[in-house]
Amino acid sequence: ATGINWTVYDRDIRARVPLSINDVLLEELTLIMRTPRWRVDEDVHFMLRGGIPGRAAQLLERICWRPSSSHNNRGNGPNEFKFVDLNGSHCHAFEQNYDAVENKMCGKLRIAVPIEIDSYSFQKAFAYALERFNIKNGGGDCPEPPWEMNLFDD
């Protein structure tokens, strides 16, 4: 994951990084990061998207770091997380959202489990995402999103 550039939109900030394997760029495999413009050091989503050339790419896995709202698996997923509000950082893991019978991902990755990430370090959250997604980082730290402070931020 090198050459990361953030793009500012109306409501959020995004970075899209094509990934390579053995120095071969795979445009179908992408690391995507997204965060609201005014939520400094929170509500960051790290997503791994992949696909087959000529077909629409699918979201394979998502990490939600310090999300602004809770997630509930409803009656899905591991028993200990069914019908439980997950209020902190969590991961929508590939292995829990892949339907082997249908041979496809389950929609919008509805199943999540809590994860432990240093709660105030974007760099540690980024490093966690790279490790979780098995991405080797040849470029060092990721530049932090260009968040905008407002009058009511701490």
Side-chain angles (χ1 to χ4, degrees), residues 1 18-26 29 134-136:
L19 301 174
S20 61
I21 296 176
N22 295 327
D23 295 326
V24 176
L25 186 65
L26 302 173
L29 188 60
N134 199 25
I135 297 172
K136 305 287 185 263

Side-chain angles (χ1 to χ4, degrees), residues 31-140:
L31 170 65
I32 300 169
M33 297 176 283
R34 186 185 77 223
T35 183
R37 285 173 62 178
W38 297 281
R39 293 192 182 271
V40 179
D41 282 328
E42 66 177 280
D43 207 15
V44 179
H45 296 253
F46 300 93
M47 298 167 277
L48 185 62
R49 183 179 297 269
I52 299 169
R55 297 174 114 184
Q58 287 189 306
L59 193 57
L60 302 175
E61 191 154 314
R62 179 175 66 242
I63 294 171
C64 303
W65 176 60
R66 300 191 68 226
S68 59
S69 60
S70 64
H71 172 82
N72 192 306
N73 293 330
R74 295 179 178 78
N76 302 301
N79 286 334
E80 65 269 31
F81 302 117
K82 288 183 179 180
F83 302 107
V84 173
D85 285 329
L86 303 177
N87 292 307
S89 298
H90 55 272
C91 179
H92 298 259
F94 175 86
E95 58 271 12
Q96 291 161 338
N97 289 281
Y98 178 74
D99 184 336
V101 174
E102 295 288 324
N103 192 28
K104 66 178 185 175
M105 297 303 294
C106 298
K108 295 183 178 182
L109 307 184
R110 64 181 183 249
I111 301 169
V113 295
I115 55 175
E116 293 292 325
I117 299 176
D118 180 319
S119 61
Y120 297 102
S121 170
F122 171 82
Q123 294 303 331
K124 287 190 179 183
F126 176 69
Y128 181 95
L130 293 185
E131 183 176 334
R132 172 70 201 168
F133 298 158
N134 199 25
I135 297 172
K136 305 287 185 263
N137 184 10

Side-chain angles (χ1 to χ4, degrees), residues 3-16:
I4 298 170
N5 295 305
W6 291 94
T7 303
V8 177
Y9 295 91
D10 269 352
R11 296 179 159 250
D12 62 4
I13 305 166
R14 300 177 207 160
R16 186 174 191 273

